[in-house]
Amino acid sequence: MLNQEQLTNIDKAKDILMKGGIVACPTETVYGLFASALDDDAVRSIYKIKGRPSRNPLIVHIHDINQARDFCDIDDIQYDTMNKAWNIYNYSVSFVLRMKDNPDVNISKLATSGLETVAVRIPMDPVANAMLKACGIPLVAPSANTSNYLSPTNHDMVVMDLGDKVPLVLDNGSSTRGLESTIIDISSGVYRILRPGVLTYSEIRSNLGINTEEYCATYENIVAPGMMKKHYSPRIPMRINAYDRKPGEALVGFGNSVPDCDFNLSKSGDLHEAARNLYATLKKIEDLGIYISIAISAIPEEGVGIAINDRLRRGSAPSEPADQITIERCKPYV
Ligand code: TXA
Ligand code: MG
């Protein structure tokens, strides 16, 4: 149930968005920076606000599968997969589809970086969903953070990072999933998982009937910046698989992996809870200003742990010049 303040803010958001403005809004994965997908200038401001390279395409958000038919080719098998994911299982998944040759609505070429495919997602968060319904047009939304930095999972994280650049930041508490959506490319006969999320491989296989073992394995061309090595980074250095603390480090544990840790992603060793706490914990450590770096203990490489470790590996990767961005080949997703 949405409260009165949320309903009022959704009305305000609609006004801003329909005039080509930008609004930050919660989703169940991470908070997003929303703009009309049909408006080149609005999309351009998204790239500008984030400092994001324009060759990194955005996800187009909708509230109903049939909205995607306006600009994507969708056959019965693809429809069935999307329907299961979004309407039956409420999964946080983005599907990459082929764009229609003669679309009924024109998605900005800036949003898709000129690709012939487009990533589409229905967010499960009720505020995002109501805002999309109110607008009635597809909206692009990258995570609401400065490019390469930590994705925000609550209202205050957005305000601290981009508050001076965005007129309205909607609030629905902490994101219930905490990691960006799983991205699955279903645009050709071979379905490929481009970015792991809170969905496990067994859920993808048994509930969506997608039988791909090759998570990113054959993806040679860069289309997902999540595939770049350095991404999702805190502003202070971070090292992973730590079991002790060096001077000045904040030690982050999981379960009872490191008994004297300063922060724990989940005391009970629950990977879903760890996913929900990950970005806010790293942000809190930065903001305290008393630590020079972060040491994070090993997270089990299973279930949701696969996506957590994917983000941690990228967040702890060394910085590299923008023109030498490394594409890291993902490990098989099992
Ligand atoms: O959970 C999410 O997906 C969040 C919320 C706000 O919806 N959004 C998000 O957006 O994580 P962003 O921009 O941070 O990441 C979008 C990813 C990028 O890795 C981008 O390269 C990929 O989607 N992407 C977009 N269009 C694509 C396409 N046509 N083919 C392959 N990857 C694509
Ligand atoms: Mg992002």
Side-chain angles (χ1 to χ4, degrees):
M1 269 295 276
L2 303 180
N3 62 35
Q4 193 51 51
E5 187 185 351
Q6 287 171 325
L7 292 170
T8 310
N9 277 337
I10 288 167
D11 279 345
K12 284 188 196 159
K14 177 188 168 188
D15 283 348
I16 297 172
L17 291 163
M18 300 312 277
K19 286 181 194 140
I22 311 293
V23 166
C25 176
T27 87
E28 78 286 3
T29 56
V30 300
Y31 276 57
L33 206 53
F34 285 77
S36 165
L38 312 179
D39 182 330
D40 280 341
D41 289 336
V43 176
R44 196 173 289 114
S45 349
I46 292 265
Y47 283 99
K48 190 162 172 237
I49 292 172
K50 279 182 65 80
R52 174 179 176 121
S54 58
R55 67 196 172 85
N56 288 340
L58 304 174
I59 296 173
V60 175
H61 293 62
I62 53 177
H63 67 270
D64 184 299
I65 301 184
N66 291 313
Q67 244 185 313
R69 289 197 187 280
D70 291 341
F71 52 94
C72 295
D73 285 325
I74 303 176
D75 65 23
D76 290 348
I77 299 171
Q78 289 163 326
Y79 187 92
D80 183 55
T81 304
M82 294 157 76
N83 184 48
K84 278 188 191 136
W86 290 333
N87 295 335
I88 299 178
Y89 291 106
N90 292 344
Y91 283 160
S92 299
V93 45
S94 300
F95 289 107
V96 174
L97 293 158
R98 284 197 74 75
M99 300 280 282
K100 261 187 176 169
D101 285 339
N102 293 306
D104 306 314
V105 299
N106 289 311
I107 301 293
S108 162
K109 286 201 166 38
L110 288 174
T112 56
S113 305
L115 294 172
E116 288 171 357
T117 55
V118 58
V120 186
R121 150 166 144 81
I122 300 183
M124 298 299 140
D125 180 278
V127 174
N129 219 275
M131 186 178 79
L132 281 155
K133 231 177 238 166
C135 292
I137 56 166
L139 302 174
V140 289
S143 49
N145 55 279
T146 305
S147 205
N148 291 348
Y149 182 54
L150 299 170
S151 299
T153 48
N154 61 51
H155 169 272
D156 290 359
M157 285 175 78
V158 182
V159 172
M160 277 187 268
D161 187 10
L162 300 176
D164 55 341
K165 300 185 178 112
V166 185
L168 179 63
V169 183
L170 274 59
D171 193 352
N172 197 21
S174 291
S175 296
T176 53
R177 300 202 172 138
L179 292 180
E180 302 79 359
S181 61
T182 304
I183 303 180
I184 309 180
D185 184 346
I186 60 169
S187 64
S188 73
V190 184
Y191 288 7
R192 284 174 295 207
I193 300 165
L194 303 186
R195 178 172 74 181
V198 301
L199 274 188
T200 61
Y201 181 67
S202 74
E203 286 169 321
I204 293 173
R205 187 173 37 203
S206 46
N207 294 341
L208 299 187
I210 294 178
N211 215 350
T212 171
E213 302 282 334
E214 44 174 343
Y215 159 52
C216 294
T218 58
Y219 222 72
E220 296 290 349
N221 299 319
I222 179 159
V223 280
M227 293 167 79
M228 291 173 194
K229 214 172 186 178
K230 183 76 177 163
H231 213 75
Y232 313 111
S233 304
R235 294 194 197 279
I236 55 177
M238 175 167 71
R239 65 185 176 96
I240 53 178
N241 301 324
Y243 49 86
D244 60 3
R245 155 197 310 106
K246 293 179 183 161
E249 273 184 342
L251 184 58
V252 182
F254 169 77
N256 46 24
S257 60
V258 275
D260 65 336
C261 57
D262 304 296
F263 301 87
N264 200 323
L265 294 179
S266 166
K267 285 190 179 145
S268 63
D270 175 341
L271 287 166
H272 280 280
E273 185 182 19
R276 281 197 295 277
N277 287 335
L278 181 68
Y279 292 132
T281 304
L282 299 178
K283 173 82 176 125
K284 186 169 169 190
I285 295 170
E286 265 184 29
D287 290 347
L288 282 170
I290 56 173
Y291 298 106
I292 54 172
S293 57
I294 302 171
I296 190 153
S297 79
I299 306 290
E301 182 74 0
E302 62 192 31
V304 185
I306 291 173
I308 297 175
N309 284 326
D310 169 80
R311 306 305 192 271
L312 288 176
R313 273 193 296 275
R314 296 176 200 289
S316 59
S319 297
E320 49 201 33
D323 58 349
Q324 287 179 25
I325 290 166
T326 314
I327 303 161
E328 196 181 50
R329 296 286 290 274
C330 305
K331 301 198 300 178
Y333 194 37
V334 288

